[in-house]
């Protein structure tokens, strides 16, 4: 029998070779070892000769990876893979073994082979693999065992037998002699048993009805015994009886009604045939139609509805007693009122409904730092109509259990643990909607751990241009600084909503160091230790100017409102300044023109919490001139009047829709003014009110994409009384909605002027009309139609929510060197979403959104719309402004340089970066335009910025400085400032109290400048060296250095002037004694002082001590304490922000006045010092010039001078001087020194 099996195996092998079914391949030992690395799953029971299948490749590495599933291979190649492969081999299509690719792969004889892209190192993509399988040559095999059959007995607590089977299968039909039989048994048996017999009660049924309703009775419930054998029984009773109806039977209704009879529930008196009359109006006395009227004790039972005049009647309400009536309507806050009556037996009710307002957070939770085991309080408060009554608190996005934490508006956490660190926010809701607060961070520190890291972090200070440290040639010095992070200090009370001043990491100690600048030394105060101290609370300011969007006419003496409170008035030039309270999270400012030339414009301002004064250039729309319409007719007013374009939509006002404040219908002529902010006109983008956000049902703030905004103003014939309008229709022409997916999502919104949030007014529906609508021919048009009521002065918006969102990374720098240590904070970056070219089918030809953010220490991330399919589906226009000054963008012409723009190739080409002067050099350089393609996360070039997916905001905010980003820089060359005590003017929290601090008071900054006139052909650098003068702690010590290049006066030839900052005299930080700073003004170059302002000189003499002025090339003085004006050539400005104080002082200095402002230098006004700086005349030619004009003679003279200097005797020959043409060469052109001297003497005599 054994020999027969051997023969059969041999014949089977030979037959497979002859038929071409496989092949046998020998492999080296190393090849087998390498194969074993991939073939992790093999059949250890297979023996003998095996064969390999052909290669299979059914997938490619696109998408998530390469998947060569065995199930899919069998589906496509049923007969080519055996059912039980014993081994598997995988190679790339380039014939590289899987083990040699360095990629992470997986394999299984049951599932196949697969490789996943996201598991690969360094962002690699899986190779394209093909696989083959090793199959046994024996064509007969057992199938898998079947499941065990049922037990032969079904009786509980009994023993039986279970059977399972398998089959012997032949894959290919071959002669019986060539197919060995399967070895083993085709069936197996095992003993089985059933569980013991059981008996259980079923669940109790429901209680039956009580036998009585009062006075005592009983009720019954039952259950059933469920058993699997009659031999077992349930313990207990199948029936249970309970007492019920214990309450005493009520007596008869004792309600005494002076009129009518008690109701069935004895809750009120009812008067058959009596009628309650009611009226419902809005706060503007407009009738409210369709309001629901119910009794307060039965609010769900609707008793009546108001008619078109807001009236209703309710039968059965007695006049002799007051009854509470509940009235509600959609978009209004519900109200409960009491009825009134008089002696006539009549009863009535008059109700006033207020518009419903979604909740709005007015108090947000604030960041806290606590030690482990301590306690903390987070506060949250919201307003709205109706008032929000439900609050929910979340920790790291997880809802906290109200029963455990027992919170309402405030959340108290006691016995704090480390795991309670994280972010907390509240969510509040009312029938009108929900809203979430901004998150607050809680940091829990282990007990005994220092509250603040005592080691200062690195901070490099730029040294003066002429200071180069020997050995390193570095122009930077590490002065150190303390991070201004909150820390756990000793609070007097730890259960306040806001921790007062709070505690922050600050400077504990500093030491004086000396910087070797080669030719001189420079002192500096370096931070040596940090500690937890009370936080410095800088003054937060928002400044700006309000002008019209069409011609920059200022809004003079306009009223400024923050919420419902008036906060100030704009100046004659439209300027304004607002001081922001520390707990402000969202600043909504409404500008109202009392002359009504401009529409009311709410703005949501961004501001700098570190104390930087942010400047906003506010644009307002001029109110359209009113037109006369007839109130008794249907009126249509177009929305949008672009030249050569159709209107975007229309307002359709039915007849008799206008009403007065008292609710009466107005009849007559209406003065109608409709101002439309057309997104097709990019100049109106800055005039967009609010920040184009809305709050969804979950309380999240989400963006909108606008198709136009409009403001309406209806007045009577005298143009005095404001009229309301009901049932107004808004029609939007669908031809202007190029993105079809926007049409079903389009809504009509109105802006809440107090919150700056857009609130939904109504949906849109389809309608088709036939007419010209501004065209010369008549055609059928499709419109979206929405309905609204004009109840109050609000702005309205045609918007859709947009979910294709990204973030754009932008940084601002001090100069075009783009050094990471010279990033600017407090710069307002603005982004306008717009279309790249007219007629693109996927985007309306208009701007759709306007956003602004402030740069921090790591730049800024601006929200924007983006698209993953087409790179140019969305584009953006980006600008930057700092204190009213526009910053310059990185250039894109004549050739795009990725190192300058800050974005690497090839992503830069896809973004298509272009500065505003890319095609026209005459245009300003203060903006750039980009495409907004959504980054492909499978493309390594697009995962490093500058555009980030919306869900990757943290990655954008924390991006390293070498990651891709866009750049702006200040055009401010040849200016340098050095402070002995380092201070960053854009971050007031970096102020340090020291005697040598340039600014002695962090709450008030005084900037001083002196105007220096330069007479000369070139501009020169002017330096002020500022030392301590009269204070015992600072005498002779350096405060700082200021360098500035003079500015050319375009009106006067060979004249320039410089406004040089110097250290103001006054109290130092201890507020104990005045120091008159010792100031030296030194023009750098061939300069000589020729004039000093007489008034300034007289003042210095009358206010001793007087500094010596012995040098003609410099001016020294003890700085005046008084704020002298332009008559002295001294300009002093005090402000709560240092940058703004300096900007104002420089503007006055340029103008030469004490109250003006100019950016053009006027060197003949308000000058303190005058220097003459003539150019030095060249007395003789330089060596380089002589080599160019007469190289042979010069070289000969150089050789002769060298020999003479070595003491050598030069033999002088009588060589004659021969004149040769400049093109020819001579054998000897040497000239004796004697002859040259004679020629030189003769030449001088001729002159």
């Amino acid at each position: 029998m054994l020999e027969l099996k051997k023969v059969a195996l041999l014949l089977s092998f030979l037959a497979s070779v002859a038929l071409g079914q496989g092949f046998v391949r020998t492999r080296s030992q190393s090849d087998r070892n390498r194969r074993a690395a991939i073939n992790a799953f093999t059949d250890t029971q297979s023996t003998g000769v095996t064969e390999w299948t052909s290669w299979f490749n059914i997938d490619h590495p696109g998408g998530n990876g390469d998947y060569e599933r065995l199930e899919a291979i069998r589906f496509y190649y049923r007969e080519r893979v055996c059912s039980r492969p014993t081994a598997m081999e995988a190679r790339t299509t380039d014939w590289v073994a899987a083990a040699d690719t360095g990629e992470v792969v997986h394999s299984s004889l049951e599932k196949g082979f697969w490789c996943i892209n996201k598991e690969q190192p360094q962002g690699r993509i899986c190779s394209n693999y093909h696989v083959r399988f090793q199959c046994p040559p024996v064509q007969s095999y057992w199938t898998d065992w079947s499941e065990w059959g049922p037990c032969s007995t079904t009786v509980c607590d009994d023993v039986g037998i279970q059977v399972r089977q398998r089959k012997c299968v032949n894959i290919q039909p071959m002669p019986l002699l060539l197919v060995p039989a399967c070895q083993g048994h085709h069936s197996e048996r095992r003993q089985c048993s059933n569980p013991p017999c059981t008996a259980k009660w079923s669940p109790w049924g429901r209680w039956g009805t009580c036998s009585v309703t009062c006075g005592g009775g009983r009720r019954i419930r039952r259950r059933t015994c469920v058993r699997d054998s009659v031999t077992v029984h349930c313990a207990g009773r199948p029936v249970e009886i309970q007492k019920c109806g214990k309450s005493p039977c009520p007596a008869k209704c004792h309600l005494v009604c002076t009129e009518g009879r008690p109701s069935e529930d004895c809750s009120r008196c009812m008067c058959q045939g009596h009628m309650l009359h009611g009226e419902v109006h809005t706060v503007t006395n407009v009738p409210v139609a369709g309001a629901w009227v119910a009794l307060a004790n039965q609010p769900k039972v609707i008793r009546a509805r108001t008619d078109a005049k807001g009236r209703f009647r309710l039968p059965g309400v007695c006049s002799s007693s007051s009854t509470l009536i509940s009235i509600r309507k959609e978009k209004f806050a519900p109200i409960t009122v009491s009825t009134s009556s008089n002696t006539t037996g009549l009863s009535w009710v008059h109700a006033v409904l207020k518009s419903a307002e979604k909740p709005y957070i007015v108090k947000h939770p604030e960041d806290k730092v606590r030690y482990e085991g301590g306690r903390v309080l987070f506060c949250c408060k919201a307003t709205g109509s109706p008032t929000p009554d439900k609050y929910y608190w979340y920790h790291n996005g997880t809802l906290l259990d109200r029963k455990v934490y027992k919170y309402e508006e405030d959340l108290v956490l006691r016995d704090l643990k480390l795991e309670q660190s994280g972010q907390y926010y509240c969510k509040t809701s009312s029938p009108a909607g929900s809203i979430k607060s901004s998150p607050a961070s809680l940091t829990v520190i282990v007990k005994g751990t220092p509250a603040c890291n005592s080691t200062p972090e690195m901070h490099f200070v730029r040294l003066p241009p002429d200071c180069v440290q020997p050995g390193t040639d570095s122009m930077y010095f590490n002065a150190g600084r303390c991070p201004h992070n909150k820390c756990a200090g000793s609070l007097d009370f730890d259960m306040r909503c806001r921790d007062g001043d709070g505690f922050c990491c600050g400077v504990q100690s500093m030491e004086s160091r000396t910087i070797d600048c080669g030719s001189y030394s420079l002192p500096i105060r370096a931070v040596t230790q940090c500690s937890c101290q009370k936080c410095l609370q800088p003054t937060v300011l928002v400044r700006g100017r309000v002008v019209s969007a069409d011609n920059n006419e200022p809004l003079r003496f306009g009223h400024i409102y923050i919420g419902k409170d008036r906060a100030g008035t704009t100046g004659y030039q439209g300027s304004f300044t607002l001081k922001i309270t520390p707990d402000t999270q969202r600043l909504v400012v409404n500008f109202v023109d009392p002359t009504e030339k401009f529409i009311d414009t709410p703005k949501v301002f961004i501001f700098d919490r570190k104390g930087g004064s942010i400047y906003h250039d506010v644009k307002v729309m001029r109110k359209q001139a009113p037109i006369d319409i007839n109130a008794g007719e249907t009126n249509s007013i177009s929305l949008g009047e672009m030249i050569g374009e159709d209107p975007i939509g229309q307002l359709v006002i039915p007849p008799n829709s206008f009403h007065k404040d008292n609710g009466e219908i107005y009849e007559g002529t209406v003065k109608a003014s409709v101002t439309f902010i057309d997104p097709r006109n990019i100049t109106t983008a800055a005039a967009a009110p609010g920040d184009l956000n809305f709050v969804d049902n979950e309380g999240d703030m989400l963006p909108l994409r606008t198709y136009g905004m409009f403001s309406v103003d209806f007045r009577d014939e005298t143009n005095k009384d404001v009229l309301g309008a009901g049932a107004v229709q808004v029609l939007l022409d669908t031809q202007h909605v190029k993105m079809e997916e926007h049409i079903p999502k389009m809504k009509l919104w109105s802006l809440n002027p107090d919150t700056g949030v857009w609130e939904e007014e109504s949906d849109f529906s389809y309608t088709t009309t036939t007419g010209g609508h501004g065209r010369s021919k008549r055609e059928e048009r499709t419109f979206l139609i929405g309905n609204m009521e004009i109840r109050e002065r609000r702005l309205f918006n045609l918007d859709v929510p947009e979910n294709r969102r990204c973030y754009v990374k932008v940084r601002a720098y001090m100069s075009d060197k783009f050094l990471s240590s010279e990033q600017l904070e407090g710069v307002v970056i603005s982004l306008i979403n717009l279309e790249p070219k007219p007629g693109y089918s996927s985007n309306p030809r208009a701007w759709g959104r306007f956003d602004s953010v402030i740069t921090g220490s790591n730049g800024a991330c601006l929200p924007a719309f983006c698209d993953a399919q087409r790179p140019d589906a969305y584009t953006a226009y980006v600008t930057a402004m700092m204190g009213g000054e526009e910053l310059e963008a990185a250039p894109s012409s004549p050739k795009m340089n990725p190192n300058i723009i800050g974005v690497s190739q090839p992503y830069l080409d896809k973004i298509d970066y272009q500065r505003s002067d890319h095609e026209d050099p005459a245009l300003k350089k203060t903006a750039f335009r980009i495409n907004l393609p959504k980054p492909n996360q499978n493309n390594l070039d697009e995962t490093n910025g500058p555009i980030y997916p919306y869900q990757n905001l943290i990655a954008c905010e924390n991006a390293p400085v070498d990651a891709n980003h866009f750049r702006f820089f200040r055009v401010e060359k040849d200016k340098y400032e050095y402070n002995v005590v380092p201070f960053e003017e854009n971050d007031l929290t970096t102020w340090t109290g020291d005697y040598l601090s340039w600014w002695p008071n962090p709450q008030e900054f005084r900037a001083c400048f002196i105007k220096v006139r330069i007479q000369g052909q070139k501009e020169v650098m002017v330096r002020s060296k500022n030392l301590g003068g009269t204070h015992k702690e600072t005498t002779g010590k350096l405060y700082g250095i200021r360098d500035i290049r003079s500015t050319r006066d375009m009106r006067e030839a060979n004249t320039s002037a410089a406004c040089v900052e110097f250290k103001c005299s006054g109290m130092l930080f201890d507020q104990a004694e005045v120091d008159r700073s010792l100031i030296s003004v030194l023009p750098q170059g061939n300069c000589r002082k020729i004039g000093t302002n007489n008034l300034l000189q007289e003042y210095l003499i009358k206010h001793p001590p007087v500094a010596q002025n012995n040098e003609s090339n410099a001016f020294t003085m003890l700085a005046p304490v008084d704020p002298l004006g332009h008559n002295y050539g001294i300009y002093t400005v005090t402000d709560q922000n240092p940058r703004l104080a300096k900007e104002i002082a420089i503007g006055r200095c340029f103008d030469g006045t004490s109250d003006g402002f100019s950016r053009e230098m006027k060197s003949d006004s308000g000058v303190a010092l005058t220097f003459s700086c003539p150019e030095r005349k060249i007395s003789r030619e330089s060596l380089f010039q002589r080599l160019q004009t007469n190289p042979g003679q010069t070289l000969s003279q150089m050789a002769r001078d060298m020999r003479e200097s070595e003491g050598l005797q030069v033999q002088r020959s009588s060589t004659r001087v021969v004149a040769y043409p400049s093109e020819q060469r001579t054998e000897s052109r040497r000239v004796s020194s004697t002859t040259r001297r004679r020629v030189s003497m003769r030449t001088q005599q001729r002159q």
Side-chain angles (χ1 to χ4, degrees), residues 326-346:
S326 175
I327 303 173
R328 66 182 188 274
K329 187 186 178 183
E330 188 178 6
K331 297 183 181 178
F332 288 90
I335 188 174
T336 300
V337 294
S338 176
T339 61
S340 302
S341 62
N342 56 22
T343 56
T344 62
L346 298 177

Side-chain angles (χ1 to χ4, degrees), residues 572-711:
Y572 182 77
Q573 295 297 332
S575 59
F576 65 92
T577 301
L578 299 174
K579 185 175 180 180
I580 311 304
T581 58
D583 58 346
T584 302
Q585 293 287 337
R586 178 179 169 88
L587 179 60
V588 182
V589 181
N590 191 11
F591 295 96
V592 178
D593 180 15
T595 65
E596 298 185 347
K597 286 197 302 185
F598 307 106
I599 66 172
D600 297 352
T601 305
K603 288 285 185 178
V604 180
F605 283 147
I606 52 177
F607 54 93
D608 189 357
R609 296 186 179 280
K610 294 183 179 180
S613 177
I614 301 301
Y615 185 90
H616 292 276
D617 194 7
V618 181
K619 303 288 187 182
V620 294
M621 292 294 293
R622 188 181 301 275
K623 186 180 293 185
Q624 283 288 344
I627 60 174
D628 293 340
I629 60 176
N630 190 339
E633 299 176 354
T634 298
N635 294 280
S636 178
I637 302 175
S638 296
L639 299 177
E641 296 181 356
M642 292 284 291
I643 299 176
E645 297 280 349
D646 291 330
I648 286 181
Q650 292 178 329
L651 285 183
V652 179
I653 307 171
N656 302 319
S657 296
F658 295 101
H659 52 77
K660 301 179 182 179
D661 285 345
N662 58 8
E664 295 181 7
I665 299 296
Y666 176 80
E667 298 177 355
T669 301
V670 177
K671 300 284 186 180
S673 171
V674 178
T675 305
F676 188 70
I677 302 177
D678 198 327
R680 296 173 296 181
N681 181 1
I682 194 171
T683 61
T684 64
D691 55 359
L692 281 178
N693 288 326
F694 76 103
V695 179
D696 67 357
N697 293 331
E698 294 300 319
D700 293 309
M701 195 85 75
L702 299 177
L704 291 170
R705 188 256 186 264
T706 185
Y707 281 87
M709 310 175 195
F710 60 93
S711 170

Side-chain angles (χ1 to χ4, degrees), residues 772 774-778:
R775 293 187 171 186
S776 58
K777 59 182 181 179
R778 299 175 64 85

Side-chain angles (χ1 to χ4, degrees), residues 133-155:
F133 300 91
Q134 195 178 44
C135 296
V138 179
Q139 304 302 323
S140 300
Y141 61 91
W142 290 110
T143 61
D144 294 333
W145 286 103
S146 65
E147 297 292 335
W148 287 102
C151 196
S152 59
T153 180
T154 58
V155 180

Side-chain angles (χ1 to χ4, degrees), residues 1009-1040:
F1009 285 79
I1010 184 171
K1011 191 169 184 177
V1012 180
R1013 183 179 182 181
I1014 305 294
Q1015 292 182 353
Q1017 295 180 353
K1018 294 184 178 180
E1019 298 91 346
V1020 299
M1021 294 293 295
V1022 183
R1023 168 173 290 184
S1024 73
K1025 190 175 181 181
N1026 304 268
L1027 304 175
T1030 59
H1031 196 285
K1032 61 181 179 180
E1033 297 289 343
T1034 63
T1035 301
K1037 295 181 180 179
L1038 184 68
Y1039 283 112

Side-chain angles (χ1 to χ4, degrees), residues 606-615 812 823-829 853-857 859 881-884 887 986-987 1139:
I606 52 177
F607 54 93
D608 189 357
R609 296 186 179 280
K610 294 183 179 180
S613 177
I614 301 301
Y615 185 90
Q823 290 193 68
L824 293 173
E825 297 185 40
V827 178
V828 179
I829 311 291
V853 296
I854 296 178
T855 57
S857 59
M881 182 173 288
M882 183 177 184
L887 272 62
N986 53 12
D987 184 359
R1139 278 196 324 217

